[in-house]
Amino acid sequence: MEAQSLPAALALVAGGGAGLSPEKRAALGVSLTLLQHNYRFERVWFWGCIQGVRGSYYIAEGLRPDRAAPRIRLYSLNCLDWSLLTPATKEMVAQAEQLKGRFQGDPSFEYNFAEINPQAAETLFEGGKEPVIKEEARLIATIEQIDRAVGIVPRGAFVKTPLGSVHENRHFEGLSLVEAKKLSSYFHFTEPVNLKNKTLLEKANLDPSTDFLDSLEHDIPQGSWSVQLEKGGAVVVLRSLLWLGLTFYHVPMTKQYGYIYFGTGEKNVDLPFML
Amino acid sequence: MDQSPGLNPSQGADHTYAYERGHGPYQPHEPGYGLDQPDYSPYDDQIPDPKARMLAIQNAKAYLLKTSTTSGLNLYDHLANVLTKILDEQPTNTVDIIENISKDVKWARFQKKMDTLRDEYEIPPTYEAAEKCKALFIKENGEENEEIIEEEIGHSPLPNVMETAFYFEQAGVGLSKDESYYIFLALKNLTSVQPIQTCRFWGKILGLEMNYIIAEAQLREGEEEEEAGEEVTEEEVKGMDEVEEQDEEKEKEDEPPKSTYKPPPDIPKEENGTGANKYVYFVCNEPGKPWVKLPPVTPAQIVCARKIKKFFTGRLDAPVVSFPPFPGNEANYLRAQIARISAGTHVSPTGFYQFPEEEEEEEGGDTYEENPEFEPPAVAEMVDSLSTWAHHVKNILKQGRCVWINPQKLEEKNEEEEEDEEEEEEMDEQQAETGPPLLTLLSEDEGIKDIPAWTAQHSTNLIPQHSVAIIQSNRWPGAYAFASGRKFENIYFGWGHKYSPENYTPILPPPVQEEYPSGPAITEARDPTLEEELAFKAAQEALAAGEEEEEEEEEEGDD
């Protein structure tokens, strides 16, 4: 969620019980502004917090003018000092998928694959490298997975220019209450996968400037999003059931929206049993 | 079109001809200007004839005023409206959003035309919700008011939700202040409606469609037992009727042999006020909606709840479809999870509660009272060592109860035939289940693999004098407890499930029942071969010969 609207936004996602202490909020207000200046970001998003056993990671994302470009991620253990995270690679994601269990809270902690899964160690670590992975790499991979799987924005919030760059739609005034209840009004903010598979009839209705992303309708498994209207419709809150802890909020008919993650950073693999 | 006198009429005709062809009069900046006017060279930039320019302008304007055949608009008016709007509103970066502005102007035109019907003013759902919330704020007026105030000042069952919310906020846990206040008011309503002795905000469980806000309460004595009694007698009466009908039917028809299978006896639920049913729980979906009391929990429900993992939908009457089939609907499942969470995560500083001195320490030591001599340890100690915290809710045994009951004794009560006694003797004696006693220290909680069961931290490292000790459970993610001096509190915000590092696997169906015990008399064996039979016969004869010799010897001996 936008760094500037953090206080108001935190009040809207607090329905899940997770939030930030006043100390952290104050620290973020200060450090995110400094971050924006130091790295010359156009916008800074506070992505959320991954809770480890002994400590938590606070994550921020910085955006450049083209919003579709890969976002630059930083993490901090105390909301004041931020460290840059390298972009995620496919290897990292494949390795991190083998790891189960909570994060430890220490970025230099090493997971030893030889103990966890010797077979995977052989396939994933080619070239005689040591089969260890640092928690920092696991963090990078997890954030990438979460963003790709469940990072969402409302329809119409972003437009794509004919040149291919994406930026915010200044004409976006918010979804109406009726639209806000439908899953098809929300898009994954990542490269589309399903767009080409739509039938010609559906494609005819799409507006290429706003409908260039995958909507949530076809997420597998069906029902992996919980849509709730709080206060009778004053706020619409979407919670992901696949990555427990991701909360998206939007105030209908206004420009306020955003998502944040407060959780342990583990995928809910039991989802099909739980629905 | 006026023809200027200075122009050659043929030239004017040329202009109109050119216009009809669609090229229009060439303007000075366009290539080709002046080529059809042999008097002027292409390099002359000055507008030679003002009247030709006027003509050009009028031609252009006429083109713009042409009305569209489809929409009845013309471009001239539309552009005028767009420019008026832009100049009125003066948005930034107009050139980037000009198309949107143009679309908006057209849209606005059309809307006005369809205004013959007036829209009925819809009552938005936000309004209804706001009404309900407002109802929370209304204070009852009348004579009762003064009496209530006096009672409340003396001993109020209402907890100070805002104070608790403040401490939890230091840890980053909790709802928004507005919601906490609504819950505060809703609890106040609850205490005024129901005969409650003490009550507490237990927490919030999230669901798919709606969430649950849960309050834990202890009712005043004597209020509950009547309801339970009524339910039991009704069920018994119904059961009797059914049995009588069945007996009559049986006499009429020949029946296949009845099965001798007796299901294991139902383990009775614990009495209200003891064990897992020590507290009564009320839930509502949102503050402002009426509170619903949850039924007491039975051991079967707890045992089953341990085996399944389902999301709550938010409707209390929703069925819980699972394997093993859950005996109840979502209200029962919710109650079972609440019981498990309370038993696993409700903690208090060690020494705050103590066993009363008079009572003997039996297994069923259920009661505890506040220790008046409790001295709270420093916050740093509370964070460093988990032995400064203790559970104050009884652990639930594997059976599903807090106090173990021998199921054999239950059978004895139910049946009095001799056959059953023999069967009981064959059954292995079940070992009494034991669990950690009340007021166990947290340091004895087992972790999961290499993760400790609890994580403790300070609320702030920068201002240690005012920091609060916070612990969160790793076994039940979402359970938190804080302690600061004499104040402490537990709360739960989450989805209502236990943490397990392994994936959930549903249990397998039980093995197929045996129809009869297998023994040597029934099991098939291979028929003996000829050699074996001959050998057996020879052995028998040898034995018979041996016995005859012995008898002869005995006869000789007798003589």
Side-chain angles (χ1 to χ4, degrees):
Chain A
M1 57 180 56
E2 285 283 338
Q4 277 103 1
S5 51
L6 201 56
L10 282 174
L12 292 169
V13 293
L20 294 173
S21 65
E23 181 190 331
K24 296 267 166 1
R25 262 185 246 192
L28 277 180
V30 165
S31 64
L32 288 179
T33 319
L34 293 174
L35 205 66
Q36 184 168 0
H37 173 75
N38 289 342
Y39 284 86
R40 311 277 186 267
F41 291 139
E42 243 197 39
R43 290 229 193 263
V44 177
W45 282 4
F46 177 62
W47 186 88
C49 164
I50 292 189
Q51 285 147 359
V53 175
R54 290 193 288 271
S56 304
Y57 299 103
Y58 298 91
I59 320 284
E61 281 183 344
L63 280 78
R64 297 258 188 247
D66 180 11
R67 305 286 187 254
R71 285 164 270 185
I72 298 163
R73 299 190 174 113
L74 303 101
Y75 81 95
S76 157
L77 296 165
N78 58 1
C79 284
L80 287 168
D81 310 309
W82 297 90
S83 323
L84 194 61
L85 288 171
T86 55
T89 60
K90 281 191 192 161
E91 278 179 350
M92 257 193 249
V93 175
Q95 289 165 10
E97 272 180 359
Q98 298 293 326
L99 295 169
K100 286 189 212 174
R102 301 275 305 266
F103 278 80
Q104 292 297 324
D106 172 18
S108 54
F109 181 81
E110 290 188 346
Y111 294 92
N112 198 344
F113 266 97
E115 296 163 16
I116 299 171
N117 194 347
Q119 295 168 352
E122 291 169 13
T123 50
L124 292 172
F125 291 92
E126 298 158 16
K129 285 186 245 173
E130 272 191 42
V132 293
I133 180 170
K134 276 189 157 181
E135 179 145 297
E136 205 177 71
R138 185 184 178 196
L139 185 69
I140 297 171
T142 307
I143 301 174
E144 177 71 23
Q145 277 182 305
I146 294 180
D147 251 350
R148 205 181 289 160
V150 289
I152 58 179
V153 292
R155 178 174 181 271
F158 286 88
V159 281
K160 188 170 184 175
T161 62
L163 302 170
S165 65
V166 171
H167 45 254
E168 278 118 6
N169 180 3
R170 227 139 343 143
H171 218 63
F172 174 63
E173 284 183 359
L175 301 171
S176 69
L177 200 58
V178 172
E179 282 175 17
K181 288 189 228 175
K182 294 192 225 163
L183 278 180
S184 56
S185 334
Y186 301 99
F187 291 151
H188 289 282
F189 196 49
T190 165
E191 277 100 30
V193 172
N194 283 336
L195 217 50
K196 299 169 199 166
N197 299 342
K198 286 188 178 250
T199 64
L200 223 67
L201 207 59
E202 286 173 352
K203 277 196 221 175
N205 286 338
L206 298 180
D207 181 6
S209 63
T210 51
D211 296 308
F212 57 96
L213 300 165
D214 281 331
S215 89
L216 295 189
E217 264 182 320
H218 303 292
D219 269 5
I220 295 165
Q222 216 173 31
S224 63
W225 287 94
S226 139
V227 183
Q228 288 182 11
L229 297 171
E230 295 194 357
K231 290 191 220 155
V235 187
V236 62
V237 175
L238 269 78
R239 292 198 181 93
S240 166
L241 303 176
L242 188 58
W243 291 94
L244 287 175
L246 187 106
T247 314
F248 169 87
Y249 77 95
H250 173 53
V251 183
M253 300 315 287
T254 67
K255 284 192 78 157
Q256 299 170 39
Y257 67 87
Y259 70 85
I260 201 166
Y261 180 85
F262 279 111
T264 58
E266 288 167 290
K267 195 168 182 176
N268 180 18
V269 208
D270 308 330
L271 181 59
F273 290 113
M274 295 169 77
L275 285 175
Chain B
M1 256 191 319
D2 291 334
Q3 296 229 351
S4 47
L7 266 184
N8 201 346
S10 65
Q11 280 186 353
D14 276 340
H15 277 294
T16 52
Y17 183 51
Y19 182 74
E20 281 164 6
R21 263 184 312 168
H23 287 281
Y26 286 109
Q27 301 302 315
H29 62 276
E30 289 175 359
Y33 175 78
L35 292 180
D36 53 349
Q37 295 171 26
D39 294 337
Y40 307 104
S41 73
Y43 301 110
D44 195 342
D45 285 342
Q46 303 223 344
I47 311 290
D49 192 347
K51 294 223 172 126
R53 192 159 172 245
M54 285 294 300
L55 195 60
I57 291 175
Q58 283 167 353
N59 285 344
K61 188 169 173 183
Y63 170 69
L64 291 177
L65 278 169
K66 222 165 154 185
T67 49
S68 152
T69 45
T70 49
S71 59
L73 303 173
N74 63 48
L75 189 55
Y76 188 88
D77 287 338
H78 179 65
L79 283 174
N81 290 337
V82 171
L83 288 171
T84 312
K85 182 173 167 140
I86 289 176
L87 290 170
D88 284 341
E89 292 178 6
Q90 307 252 348
T92 51
N93 291 343
T94 316
V95 66
D96 293 331
I97 50 175
I98 180 78
E99 291 85 5
N100 285 332
I101 296 177
S102 165
K103 214 178 359 171
D104 272 349
V105 168
K106 283 190 188 164
W107 194 51
R109 264 193 75 92
F110 279 112
Q111 259 202 338
K112 280 184 202 159
K113 282 188 184 168
M114 294 167 66
D115 219 345
T116 47
L117 293 171
R118 266 197 225 160
D119 283 328
E120 189 186 299
Y121 185 68
E122 283 179 29
I123 300 180
T126 43
Y127 172 76
E128 293 169 4
E131 276 280 326
K132 281 193 195 145
C133 273
K134 186 175 170 192
L136 284 174
F137 286 89
I138 294 173
K139 201 173 170 185
E140 291 174 10
N141 289 322
E143 295 176 358
E144 304 172 1
N145 214 3
E146 298 175 4
E147 296 173 12
I148 294 174
I149 293 179
E150 287 177 15
E151 280 181 28
E152 283 182 3
I153 293 174
H155 171 65
S156 164
L158 191 61
N160 193 346
V161 171
M162 295 313 289
E163 191 184 358
T164 314
F166 165 75
Y167 282 111
F168 275 118
E169 194 192 353
Q170 301 300 308
V173 171
L175 308 170
S176 64
K177 288 229 173 57
D178 286 353
E179 200 170 345
S180 298
Y181 206 83
Y182 292 141
I183 291 175
F184 198 7
L185 291 172
L187 279 179
K188 173 168 152 262
N189 274 354
L190 179 66
T191 49
S192 60
V193 168
Q194 301 270 356
I196 288 186
Q197 193 178 9
T198 57
C199 103
R200 193 173 85 78
F201 175 47
W202 186 91
K204 183 171 180 184
I205 289 190
L206 303 172
L208 297 181
E209 295 163 28
M210 289 185 283
N211 306 325
Y212 290 115
I213 293 175
I214 300 159
E216 179 185 83
Q218 258 181 328
L219 297 184
R220 284 190 222 131
E221 296 171 17
E223 295 287 346
E224 268 220 60
E225 300 164 3
E226 298 170 5
E227 294 176 23
E230 286 174 8
E231 289 175 14
V232 165
T233 47
E234 281 179 21
E235 289 173 15
E236 282 180 17
V237 165
K238 281 184 205 164
M240 293 287 291
D241 290 336
E242 290 174 9
V243 165
E244 287 172 10
E245 290 174 11
Q246 285 174 6
D247 284 341
E248 290 174 7
E249 289 177 11
K250 278 177 203 168
E251 290 172 5
K252 293 175 195 169
E253 307 170 356
D254 271 338
E255 289 217 334
K258 292 184 239 171
S259 85
T260 48
Y261 166 72
K262 282 182 210 58
D266 274 340
I267 302 178
K269 68 174 188 190
E270 290 172 295
E271 290 293 312
N272 295 336
T274 65
N277 285 322
K278 185 162 185 187
Y279 294 102
V280 175
Y281 293 91
F282 292 90
V283 296
C284 74
N285 285 123
E286 271 187 7
K289 295 209 177 147
W291 291 92
V292 177
K293 184 162 135 182
L294 286 181
V297 68
T298 65
Q301 288 167 357
I302 291 194
V303 166
C304 192
R306 285 182 171 141
K307 298 181 188 156
I308 66 175
K309 196 172 178 188
K310 284 285 209 183
F311 277 123
F312 293 98
T313 61
R315 289 169 286 122
L316 284 173
D317 50 357
V320 177
V321 180
S322 65
F323 182 77
F326 186 76
N329 56 14
E330 182 156 312
N332 303 99
Y333 183 44
L334 180 64
R335 179 66 180 81
Q337 291 293 92
I338 293 175
R340 289 173 70 198
I341 293 175
S342 296
T345 63
H346 275 30
V347 296
S348 56
T350 311
F352 190 87
Y353 288 118
Q354 65 181 11
F355 289 116
E357 296 171 0
E358 305 152 354
E359 201 181 282
E360 297 172 1
E361 271 230 29
E362 303 172 354
E363 285 181 11
D366 208 9
T367 56
Y368 50 81
E369 60 180 23
E370 282 188 31
N371 181 356
E373 297 160 17
F374 169 63
E375 282 185 20
V379 167
E381 275 181 42
M382 302 224 62
V383 170
D384 286 333
S385 138
L386 285 176
S387 59
T388 45
W389 299 84
H391 288 275
H392 62 256
V393 176
K394 208 130 200 295
N395 179 270
I396 299 184
L397 303 168
K398 213 162 134 190
Q399 200 182 41
R401 291 170 53 104
C402 292
V403 173
W404 188 70
I405 256 195
N406 195 343
Q408 296 174 19
K409 289 191 188 155
L410 285 175
E411 283 194 18
E412 285 175 5
K413 281 185 203 167
N414 288 338
E415 289 139 9
E416 298 166 345
E417 299 172 11
E418 293 179 356
E419 299 173 5
D420 295 331
E421 288 178 4
E422 292 175 6
E423 286 178 14
E424 285 171 16
E425 289 172 5
E426 287 178 8
M427 270 167 38
D428 298 328
E429 285 195 10
Q430 292 183 8
Q431 296 233 330
E433 294 174 18
T434 55
L438 200 55
L439 299 184
T440 333
L441 299 180
L442 249 62
S443 41
E444 299 180 24
D445 275 358
E446 294 173 4
I448 316 161
K449 278 196 185 179
D450 44 355
I451 305 172
W454 296 86
T455 303
Q457 37 188 270
H458 289 277
S459 65
T460 160
N461 289 326
L462 299 172
I463 308 176
Q465 346 27 334
H466 291 293
S467 82
V468 175
I470 311 274
I471 55 170
Q472 45 181 332
S473 169
N474 291 327
R475 270 196 282 174
W476 291 97
Y480 300 93
F482 83 87
S484 168
R486 290 198 75 95
K487 295 202 184 81
F488 76 93
E489 190 59 74
N490 300 284
I491 209 157
Y492 182 84
F493 292 112
W495 296 89
H497 299 114
K498 195 168 188 176
Y499 174 71
S500 97
E502 301 301 326
N503 300 341
Y504 167 75
T505 46
I507 62 168
L508 298 172
V512 177
Q513 278 179 337
E514 289 189 349
E515 293 175 68
Y516 43 77
S518 62
I522 317 178
T523 43
E524 287 186 19
R526 295 195 61 207
D527 280 341
T529 60
L530 187 55
E531 291 94 3
E532 286 176 12
E533 279 193 5
L534 288 175
F536 186 68
K537 197 169 167 194
Q540 287 283 35
E541 286 170 2
L543 262 181
E547 282 176 6
E548 286 176 6
E549 287 178 7
E550 284 178 13
E551 285 178 6
E552 288 173 4
E553 288 175 5
E554 286 176 9
E555 286 176 3
E556 291 171 10
D558 285 343
D559 293 341

